[in-house]
Amino acid sequence: MGSRKRHALRWTAGILSLLLIALTAAGCGESKPDTLEAIKKRGKLIAGVKYDTKLFGLQNPATGEVEGFDIDIAKALAKKILGDETKVELKEVTSKTRIPLLQNGDIDLIIATMTINEERKKQVDFSDVYFNAGQSLLVKKGSPIQGLESLTKDSKVLAVKGSTSAKNIREKAPDAIVLEFENYQDAFTALKAGQGDALTTDNAILLGMQKQDPNFVLVGGNFTDEPYGMAIRKGDTEFANTVNELLKELKDSGEYDRLYEFWMGVKPE
Ligand code: GLU
């Protein structure tokens, strides 16, 4: 072989191996997330939870601890994966921030009163249903508003950004004025300050508010179905299986019923 030919061959081989490296790197970039592995390596689970939603995830101002049904599920998941329920970091999410925080890798999963629906399934994967809620209305005791039918063009309804509730109420009461807040405590503070006639979200969240201030009551029953799921990154299959396994174990052992009754004050249906 002439030296020119050898030179050309070496060049081709060089370019081919560079191509191979580039292709492998691109392939890795697209590989499926493996959050389960990441949690084990890190030695802690990072759960996105609410900090302002009584019964599900509420920060106790006296202790700084975040407490609720969603929190206890996060702890049980840490116990399942790492053998220790304290190996969990609870990061605050709101209805608006939870999907972006999951997608940019700040949290491993969302356990935050999140309804499973088709629109959200385009962005995230969901666990099996772990709680069944339904949208309702909270009003001041003695309010003339007794349900959806009482809402007119003069009614101001308070809701939270990024929630299904804000979207649903526009369909169910198209005449009403909807005011959106960053989180549930802000919305509730506004209701108490008389900035709106009703607050709308899931019945279980409203029940928590009613417990915080019994001058407010739920009216009009449930007008949507809001099945809660934990959200994980798309294609994170092993992690999804682990989360669903946990739910099954909690149900089989009776722990799920115990937690439900502890937080909600009633047995699950
Ligand atoms: N479950 C509803 C939702 O996922 C309302 C509660 C919330 O805002 O988290 O949007």
Side-chain angles (χ1 to χ4, degrees):
M1 206 189 291
S3 89
R4 239 210 216 142
K5 230 179 186 175
R6 262 208 306 270
H7 191 70
L9 255 178
R10 235 183 269 139
W11 261 99
T12 321
I15 286 169
L16 274 178
S17 44
L18 272 178
L19 252 172
L20 202 70
I21 292 169
L23 278 175
T24 318
C28 286
E30 274 168 26
S31 74
K32 288 187 174 174
D34 190 350
T35 302
L36 192 59
E37 196 49 42
I39 294 167
K40 287 181 186 161
K41 264 198 196 140
R42 192 198 294 132
K44 99 181 153 181
L45 166 76
I46 305 177
V49 299
K50 295 280 182 74
Y51 269 42
D52 74 330
T53 305
K54 191 170 168 70
L55 305 182
F56 289 92
L58 181 72
Q59 190 166 36
N60 181 334
T63 61
E65 296 284 314
V66 191
E67 298 157 351
F69 186 68
D70 283 344
I71 308 305
D72 285 349
I73 291 181
K75 288 181 181 169
L77 185 59
K79 175 138 195 238
K80 177 171 173 60
I81 299 173
L82 300 164
D84 183 346
E85 69 156 40
T86 66
K87 298 219 157 114
V88 57
E89 182 181 336
L90 302 166
K91 272 204 187 159
E92 183 176 11
V93 300
T94 66
S95 307
K96 192 179 81 176
T97 65
R98 61 192 160 193
I99 291 182
L101 287 174
L102 177 68
Q103 285 178 332
N104 69 21
D106 279 11
I107 53 178
D108 294 324
L109 85 170
I110 301 167
I111 317 180
T113 66
M114 186 167 182
T115 299
I116 303 170
N117 66 25
E118 291 309 312
E119 201 184 318
R120 290 175 178 167
K121 275 191 200 166
K122 288 180 198 152
Q123 296 175 280
V124 297
D125 284 347
F126 281 102
S127 71
D128 295 338
V129 176
Y130 73 91
F131 190 91
N132 280 303
Q135 188 171 345
S136 191
L137 297 170
L138 186 77
V139 297
K140 193 157 191 182
K141 260 187 192 158
S143 161
I145 293 171
Q146 285 308 308
L148 277 181
E149 65 291 344
S150 325
L151 299 174
T152 66
K153 66 171 179 34
D154 299 319
S155 316
K156 280 192 193 133
V157 184
L158 314 179
V160 164
K161 291 179 188 169
S163 67
T164 51
S165 337
K167 205 164 171 229
N168 296 335
I169 195 68
R170 290 192 165 87
E171 282 161 25
K172 305 273 177 191
D175 295 336
I177 303 157
V178 180
L179 302 178
E180 293 191 20
F181 294 81
E182 293 301 322
N183 61 54
Y184 284 104
Q185 283 312 317
D186 285 359
F188 192 31
T189 303
L191 182 71
K192 287 192 271 191
Q195 289 170 27
D197 305 296
L199 193 163
T200 189
T201 186
D202 302 335
N203 55 348
I205 298 177
L206 297 177
L207 188 71
M209 292 176 181
Q210 189 185 324
K211 286 197 171 156
Q212 287 177 315
D213 188 338
N215 290 315
F216 292 85
V217 285
L218 276 89
V219 292
N222 296 350
F223 49 85
T224 68
D225 288 327
E226 307 289 332
Y228 292 177
M230 291 175 246
I232 58 173
R233 281 178 281 274
K234 274 203 148 306
D236 206 347
T237 331
E238 267 203 70
F239 190 38
N241 292 341
T242 304
V243 170
N244 284 333
E245 242 175 61
L246 170 80
L247 282 178
K248 192 170 179 312
E249 286 164 11
L250 289 177
K251 288 202 174 153
D252 290 349
S253 68
E255 179 66 359
Y256 176 90
D257 284 18
R258 195 191 67 75
L259 289 177
Y260 191 107
E261 207 176 338
F262 179 81
W263 289 109
M264 304 304 146
V266 291
K267 286 192 170 28
E269 280 165 22

